[in-house]
Structures are given as structure tokens and as C-alpha cells.
Amino acid sequence: MTRMLTLLLAVAAPVTPLHGQPSSAPRRDTVDRFILGEMALKHIPGVSLAVVRGGKVIKAEGYGMADLEHGIPVTPETVFKIGSVSKQFLAAGIMLLAQDGRLSVDDPVARYYAAAPESWQGITLRHFLTHTSGVVREGPAFDALKTQPDSVIVRSAFPRALEFPTGSKYQYCNVCYFTLADVIARVSGTTWDVFLAERVFGPTGMTATRTTTTTALVPRRARGYAWRGSEYVNAPEFVALRPSGAFLSTVLDLAKWDAALYEDRVLTKASREAMWTPVRLTGGGSFGYGFGWTLDSLDGHRRVRHGGSLPGFRAEMARFPGDSLTVIVLTNADGARPDEIARDVARIYLSGAAPR
């Protein structure tokens, strides 16, 4: 075991026991020991975890280090990049505008882009929300080290042929979410980040959630790392702001969003159900993706989830609506598998092995 890994395990004890309960309680240790083991196995400097039942946080812990160079531990308030977990917020922005009567998810994308090519004429916002448009995954003009308007990235995809007939299959598409973000800006009359701050983050009290940045001061920000050979190195930073992976957040902020998804404070029941309905394909089947959410099951329990990744960060938010259970895992390592951590933590709670 390396000296650095020994240090990580030494500081990885949970830091915020709830309701005055000691974090060494035997049942709670089941989760803690599992996460510490995953951190050692996958070389993860830090993990932040929230378990939420019925919109109420029942476990919030930090493990390991948010900043190795300065010896700053992870807490539930640590701010991580959440990558494509952000897509649900862009989808929520579209649904809010639909609720306002300002657009429809079945609007042709060409309505918002007069120069859209002929191949895009049959594509709707719904196709972009569900990754079924056939458009290439990435806009050719995207440069991680360059700040550009979203419309530039969108237009750079115009000359590329569709990769499959629109609506016939699912294929992940980041430039599609650049387009949705740009549509939010065009329809709302403000930038998409301001729109979401005013309509989603503000009303839900998500005060730590904001767009990624390399220049602004962000309190309690985690640093991203990669494991190279036998040591950690700093992960590269994207200068570009990608709407497809736009936000910084905390497990506690995402728990507030989870609570809002049980109510009509932001999205109506009809909007939420639309977001969590598998997309219908033109061949008659369906695929387990809605609007910014992956739809599947775990051991017979319905699951609504999404993962995210950016250099040095991996994230997962998994909701089990039928069990009123949500597990949120944020990490600061390229090699982390927060989807697996969230899956196995969920199994502990779903099996009754952890306290309610």
C-alpha cells in the first residue's frame, strides 16, 4: 500500500453523522466499509455520498480527500463536477418552457435554426432529448481548451451525415444537448445557465450548484485526479463550458433536487412522467432513455438514473421511485465507478441491511 493511499484511508472516516448517531453504528458501517474498499481498489481520492428517502436525507457522508495538495477532506458540502448528470437539468429547462407554452418537445429543431440542413428537417426536440436523432455524438468544432458560443458547436454538425435514420435507434449525443441549451437561450431570452439558476436552482435552494469554471472562486471545490502507475496526478481542466456536462454541485444540492422531483414546485407531474417515459423507436420498440434520464431496473426495482464524467471526475444519481430511495455519489477520480457504488449502496438499503 502506497503512503498516499494509507493517508487517504486514514482520513476517509465519515464526517457528518446524522441526528447525533455515531458513524461507527454497525449497520451504517456496512456502507462505509464498502465505500472505503472501493476507494482503495479503484484509487479514488474522495467520495461524497447522500442517501435520500422520500426527499429526506438519511445519510450524508464524505470520505477521503477533496484536495490532495492541501490536505482538504471531502464533506457532503464538497463541490464536484457532475458531468452528464447535468443533462437532466437541460431537459428540465426544455420542459419548463413547454409548461410555459413557449415551445413543444415535438417542435422541429429547424424552427430554431434557419440554416439547418435538409437531413435535420425531420428532427424534433424530442429526438435530441432522447438521443435518437441520428446526429453525430460531438460537434466537430468543439475544443475543450476554447470558449465558443453553443451555436458554433451546433452548426459545425450540420455538414455531417446522420449516422442512422432519425428515431430508429438510441445513440448518445452530446451536441444534441448543446442544441437544447441554445434553444433554451433563444426561447427564454436569457442564457441557459441564468434561466436554470432562476427557474430550477434558486427555487429548490441549490445554492452550491453552478456552471463549471476554471477562473471563478468556488468555495469547497474538489480537485480532479487520475491514477498514473503508482501515483495520483492532476486531471486536465476543460476551459470550454459544455452544456452536455455543465454543472458543479454537491450531494446535498442534488438531494434538494431529488426532493423537488416528488412535488410540483418546478416540474409538473405530467412533465416528470414525460421525462421518465422510455423513448419509442420508429421500428415499434422502445429504449430505456427518457429526457435526460436513463430508465431501467435493479433487482426488480424501477430505477431512473444518470451518470456523468469529466476529466478527473465521475458522478452518479440513481432514483428508485417505487421505493422512494435515491443514492447520489460524487467522486474525483478518472478510475472511479460511482454507478457501481450507487448500485451496491442501493442494494444495502433496498434489502433492509441499513437503517431507514
Side-chain angles (χ1 to χ4, degrees), residues 2-355:
T2 67
R3 182 175 179 275
M4 180 61 74
L5 189 53
T6 301
L7 172 63
L8 288 174
L9 293 178
V11 300
V15 296
T16 55
L18 297 179
H19 310 305
Q21 296 179 3
S23 60
S24 59
R27 287 180 179 268
R28 294 177 68 80
D29 269 357
T30 303
V31 172
D32 303 333
R33 287 195 302 268
F34 164 69
I35 291 178
L36 292 174
E38 284 296 296
M39 291 172 67
L41 182 65
K42 300 286 180 28
H43 302 292
I44 309 170
V47 172
S48 190
L49 167 76
V51 181
V52 193
R53 193 179 289 280
K56 304 294 184 183
V57 176
I58 59 173
K59 182 177 179 70
E61 310 284 4
Y63 309 83
M65 304 300 289
D67 187 325
L68 292 173
E69 291 166 281
H70 298 94
I72 301 172
V74 174
T75 76
E77 292 80 21
T78 298
V79 177
F80 291 80
K81 293 178 182 178
I82 64 171
S84 288
V85 175
S86 304
K87 285 184 168 68
Q88 63 196 264
F89 296 115
L90 274 298
I94 292 292
M95 298 310 292
L96 283 166
L97 291 171
Q99 288 175 190
D100 294 345
R102 303 176 72 178
L103 58 70
S104 165
V105 296
D106 292 312
D107 285 347
V109 173
R111 175 175 299 179
Y112 305 98
Y113 291 92
E118 181 62 30
S119 61
W120 283 40
Q121 297 305 307
I123 297 174
T124 66
L125 298 180
R126 183 185 298 273
H127 291 125
F128 275 4
L129 286 162
T130 57
H131 302 287
T132 56
S133 67
V135 172
V136 294
R137 177 175 178 133
E138 306 290 347
F142 176 75
D143 183 340
L145 301 180
K146 186 177 180 181
T147 300
Q148 303 179 83
D150 297 325
S151 58
V152 170
I153 310 302
V154 175
R155 289 197 300 270
S156 74
F158 284 177
R160 296 296 182 93
L162 296 186
E163 300 200 336
F164 54 86
T166 296
S168 64
K169 63 179 285 188
Y170 166 96
Q171 182 172 288
Y172 205 71
C173 175
N174 281 321
V175 72
C176 295
Y177 274 75
F178 276 79
T179 310
L180 295 169
D182 197 36
V183 168
I184 290 172
R186 290 168 185 250
V187 174
S188 71
T190 188
T191 58
W192 54 265
D193 58 317
V194 170
F195 179 81
L196 291 173
E198 292 177 347
R199 297 291 299 275
V200 177
F201 306 143
T204 54
M206 298 171 67
T207 56
T209 303
R210 54 150 300 146
T211 50
T212 60
T213 173
T214 58
T215 56
L217 300 180
V218 178
R220 299 180 291 275
R221 183 209 296 255
R223 300 297 173 181
Y225 300 98
W227 181 259
R228 295 290 182 265
S230 61
E231 63 182 4
Y232 291 104
V233 298
N234 289 304
E237 288 271 10
F238 278 11
V239 173
L241 172 60
R242 294 164 58 90
S244 55
F247 296 108
L248 300 170
S249 194
T250 69
V251 294
L252 294 181
D253 261 22
L254 293 173
K256 293 174 183 176
W257 171 237
D258 175 72
L261 293 174
Y262 288 99
E263 304 171 351
D264 294 339
R265 278 187 289 154
V266 177
L267 297 172
T268 64
K269 181 180 180 181
S271 290
R272 300 193 305 272
E273 289 179 350
M275 292 178 74
W276 300 332
T277 298
V279 59
R280 299 293 301 178
L281 304 176
T282 53
S286 65
F287 188 85
Y289 198 93
F291 299 167
W293 292 92
T294 298
L295 312 171
D296 59 14
S297 64
L298 176 67
D299 303 335
H301 299 266
R302 180 184 174 219
R303 181 169 60 175
V304 179
R305 57 161 296 273
H306 214 290
S309 65
L310 280 171
F313 293 89
R314 299 290 185 271
E316 175 78 6
M317 181 172 182
R319 306 184 78 243
F320 297 85
D323 303 277
S324 299
L325 178 73
T326 298
V327 180
I328 304 160
V329 180
L330 305 181
T331 72
N332 60 344
D334 271 352
R337 289 298 304 268
D339 55 331
E340 296 179 355
I341 295 174
R343 176 198 66 197
D344 290 340
V345 169
R347 280 176 166 152
I348 291 171
Y349 281 85
L350 290 169
S351 70

